[in-house]
Structure formats: structure tokens, C-alpha cells
């Protein structure tokens, strides 16, 4: 079954589940992307910083599917903030992907210490007007970063791609993002480093429903209306991760998984230090 399409605030649509590609290398990613498309994914997420855009482009071509049937996201890296650098970075990403446009381009991190995310956002607006990018959005932005770019340009990002999984659920940031009309993309949705896949609450629900823990967690994202980009190098896991549209979680299950949230890790204080920008 195809993933449902989520309508973004610019009227374009994005498949709710995409294949994440970090940390797949340039040499391993073509086969993974081709396999993902083969099992039904129509949305691939990459970034200049992943160092695998060439392989992503190759994987899409290898799949044999027309390019317009796949939604491709890339991201402007932290070293490329500022108008000129952002325009150059996007041109380089397109060259590596072997494409003349991407469906979505994101600012990977706000980099408030550099202080150029508004200029970077203005460059993405230009690139969108020129047709090199379908939709434009951000990643790892806090509410104050969102407000600054919206106030400065009048253009609201379509998505904020942030870490969301049952253990690092970012409830406040999700609410703040949604209240600004911005959709959320969950990175690290399975939270492997937080052991969410082994959590007893998750495994008990999975056993009862005859699903895997990963499917239960991904369905939790879907129930919350989140766009989700799990990564797997295994075709079998790619298949099961995409196969989450033939069951639902009831309110009690969703609440139980919501209860696993342990809050924002301390590392975010430094990663997202944006107060002075
Ligand atoms: P692998 O590539 O070997 O499948 P996330 O996308 O949340 O960052 O999670 C990615 C991690 O979770 C990878 O280590 C991936 O390993 C693993 N993973 C992906 N899908 C599954 C699954 N269905 N079951 C268990 N682990 C998974």
C-alpha cells in the first residue's frame, strides 16, 4: 500500500513515510534506495552533509521509476549559510543528484552562532521561485528561529525536520511547530540509540497486534500525523517499516507510548543554542 500523502502549507504533497539515508555511504546507498523504491517508498531523504547524494541519484535511476514519481529531499549544510553559498550548495547538490530540481530543500541546522539563517532562508525562497526547489523548509529549528525567518520574509517553512521518537518526543517543539502551520518530519524515528525498540511497552503492543516493535513505533508517528523517515540498510526492514497502513493503535496504546518520553537530551542545549541569534 502506498504511504498516504500529507498536504503541505504551500499546497504540495509529500508521502508520509520516506526512506532515510544517513549514515549510508555513497557506495551502499544506490542499492538501498533502489530496494526502497521497489518495496513501495516514493520519498527519499538525503543531505549534502551525508556525503551520499550521488548514490541517491543513482539509486533512483536504477529503480527505473520516473523521477517525478519520487519525492526527493536534500539539505543545505552548516558550512553553506548565506545567500551566495546556499545558491552554490544547492547547485552542487543538484549536480551530485544528477537532477535539475529537488522536491524539498531544508536548512539542515539554524547555526545561530553563524547568524545567517535568515539570509539562507531568503536564498531558498529565490531558488524556489526559480523552480530549482519544489518546497522549502527547515530542520532542527526552535520556535524563535521559525519566528525570525517568518517575520523577516513572510514565508513559512513547509516542514521542520526534528528528532522525534517515543523517548525523545519533543512535545513542546512539536506543538510550537504545528501551531505555526508547519508539518513535522521525524528524524531518528525509531530512536535506536534510546532503546525504544526494546522497550517493554512497545514490545507488548507489538506482540498483541502481531507487528514488529519498529512497526508499532512508526505507526505511533503516523497516528500523530508526523512525516517519518526511518533508515534501514536491510530490504526486509525497509519493507516492514513501510508496511504500517493496515492497522491502527488505539488511544490507550498511543498514550502508553507517549508516556515513554524522557524529554530533550542535554546535548540539545549546545546543538540548538539559539538564544543570542
Ligand atoms: P539497519 O539499517 O541495520 O536496519 P532511525 O531511522 O530511527 O535512525 O533508525 C535507524 C536504525 O534502526 C538503524 O540502525 C537500523 O538498522 C535500525 N532499524 C531500522 N529498521 C528497523 C527495524 N524494522 N527493526 C529493527 N531495527 C531497525
Amino acid at each position: 500500500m502506498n504511504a498516504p500523502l500529507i498536504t503541505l502549507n504551500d499546497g504540495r504533497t509529500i508521502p508520509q513515510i520516506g526512506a532515510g539515508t544517513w549514515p549510508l555511504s555513497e557506495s551502499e546507498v544506490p542499492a538501498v534506495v533502489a530496494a526502497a523504491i521497489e518495496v513501495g517508498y516514493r520519498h527519499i531523504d538525503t543531505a549534502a552533509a551525508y556525503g551520499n547524494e550521488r548514490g541517491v541519484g543513482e539509486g533512483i535511476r536504477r529503480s527505473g521509476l520516473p523521477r517525478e514519481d519520487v519525492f526527493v529531499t536534500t539539505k543545505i549544510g552548516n558550512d553553506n549559510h548565506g545567500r551566495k553559498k546556499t545558491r552554490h550548495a544547492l547547485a552542487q547538490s543538484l549536480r551530485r543528484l544528477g537532477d535539475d530540481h529537488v522536491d524539498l530543500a531544508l536548512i539542515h541546522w539554524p547555526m545561530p552562532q553563524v547568524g545567517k539563517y535568515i539570509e539562507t532562508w531568503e536564498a531558498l525562497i529565490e531558488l524556489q521561485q526559480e523552480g530549482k526547489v519544489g518546497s522549502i523548509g527547515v530542520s532542527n529549528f526552535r520556535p524563535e528561529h521559525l519566528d525570525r525567518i517568518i517575520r523577516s520574509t513572510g514565508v513559512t517553512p513547509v516542514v521542520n525536520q526534528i528528532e522525534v521518537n517515543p523517548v525523545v518526543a519533543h512535545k513542546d517543539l512539536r506543538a510550537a511547530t504545528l501551531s505555526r502551520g508547519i508539518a513535522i518530519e521525524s528524524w531518528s524515528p525509531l530512536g535506536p540509540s534510546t532503546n525504544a525498540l526494546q522497550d517493554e511497552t512497545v514490545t507488548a503492543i507489538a506482540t498483541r497486534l502481531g507487528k514488529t516493535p519498529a512497526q508499532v513505533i512508526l505507526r505511533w508517528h503516523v497516528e500523530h500525523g508526523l512525516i517519518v523517515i526511518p533508515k534501514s540498510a536491510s530490504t526486509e526492514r525497509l519493507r516492514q517499516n513501510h508496511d504500517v497502513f493496515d492497522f491502527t493503535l488505539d488511544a490507550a496504546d498511543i498514550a502508553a507510548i507517549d508516556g515513554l518520553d524522557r524529554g530533550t537530551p542535554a546535548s540539545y542545549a549546545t546543538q540548538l543554542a539559539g538564544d543570542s541569534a
Side-chain angles (χ1 to χ4, degrees):
M1 195 185 298
N2 281 347
L5 297 174
I6 300 280
T7 300
L8 302 169
N9 66 25
D10 64 359
R12 293 170 180 267
T13 57
I14 182 171
Q16 189 167 13
I17 293 201
T21 62
W22 186 84
L24 297 167
S25 69
E26 203 76 278
S27 58
E28 57 190 336
V29 81
V32 174
V33 166
I37 291 171
E38 173 70 28
V39 303
Y41 291 76
R42 294 294 179 266
H43 167 184
I44 310 290
D45 184 276
T46 183
Y50 301 168
N52 63 15
E53 290 172 307
R54 268 194 196 84
V56 167
E58 190 188 322
I60 293 169
R61 287 187 292 279
R62 203 183 278 183
S63 78
L65 210 68
R67 165 65 183 89
E68 60 271 22
D69 291 354
V70 186
F71 188 104
V72 179
T73 301
T74 195
K75 311 186 189 83
I76 302 295
N78 295 346
D79 293 340
N80 285 316
H81 278 229
R83 177 173 180 274
K84 219 172 141 190
K85 281 187 170 179
T86 294
R87 292 185 62 84
H88 182 66
L90 198 269
Q92 295 288 85
S93 285
L94 293 180
R95 193 178 51 73
R96 287 189 292 263
L97 286 161
D99 216 332
D100 60 358
H101 76 289
V102 283
D103 300 282
L104 176 62
L106 308 180
I107 304 177
H108 206 149
W109 290 88
M111 300 301 288
Q113 60 276 43
V114 173
K116 290 192 173 172
Y117 59 86
I118 294 174
E119 213 187 291
T120 303
W121 184 239
E122 288 166 346
L124 284 187
I125 294 169
E126 278 179 18
L127 290 162
Q128 184 184 35
Q129 286 162 352
E130 293 164 17
K132 297 192 174 94
V133 175
S135 294
I136 54 176
V138 298
S139 184
N140 304 303
F141 271 44
R142 289 204 314 209
E144 62 268 30
H145 307 135
L146 296 173
D147 286 340
R148 285 199 184 103
I149 60 171
I150 296 167
R151 262 203 314 269
S152 302
T153 64
V155 179
T156 301
V158 295
V159 301
N160 189 13
Q161 185 180 114
I162 56 177
E163 181 175 9
V164 179
N165 57 65
V167 179
V168 181
H170 275 143
K171 284 190 185 116
D172 293 348
L173 182 53
R174 273 160 50 199
T177 298
L178 292 176
S179 74
R180 287 160 175 78
I182 302 167
I184 294 161
E185 289 188 307
S186 307
W187 64 254
S188 204
L190 298 170
S193 58
T194 60
N195 291 327
L197 286 165
Q198 281 89 45
D199 183 274
E200 278 177 13
T201 303
V202 172
T203 55
I205 295 170
T207 304
R208 174 161 47 77
L209 297 178
K211 299 291 173 185
T212 68
Q215 286 175 316
V216 167
I217 292 176
L218 292 168
R219 185 68 210 184
W220 170 83
H221 289 268
V222 168
E223 299 284 357
H224 278 300
L226 306 168
I227 300 158
V228 61
I229 47 167
K231 169 261 167 188
S232 181
S234 131
T235 302
E236 166 44 33
R237 285 171 168 181
L238 282 168
R239 192 190 308 280
Q240 60 164 274
N241 293 350
H242 196 264
D243 185 17
V244 296
F245 299 106
D246 65 346
F247 73 106
T248 56
L249 298 176
D250 64 24
D253 289 340
I254 295 169
I257 300 172
D258 285 341
L260 302 179
D261 187 15
R262 293 291 166 270
T264 302
S267 59
Y268 271 77
T270 44
Q271 276 181 327
L272 292 178
D275 300 328
S276 60

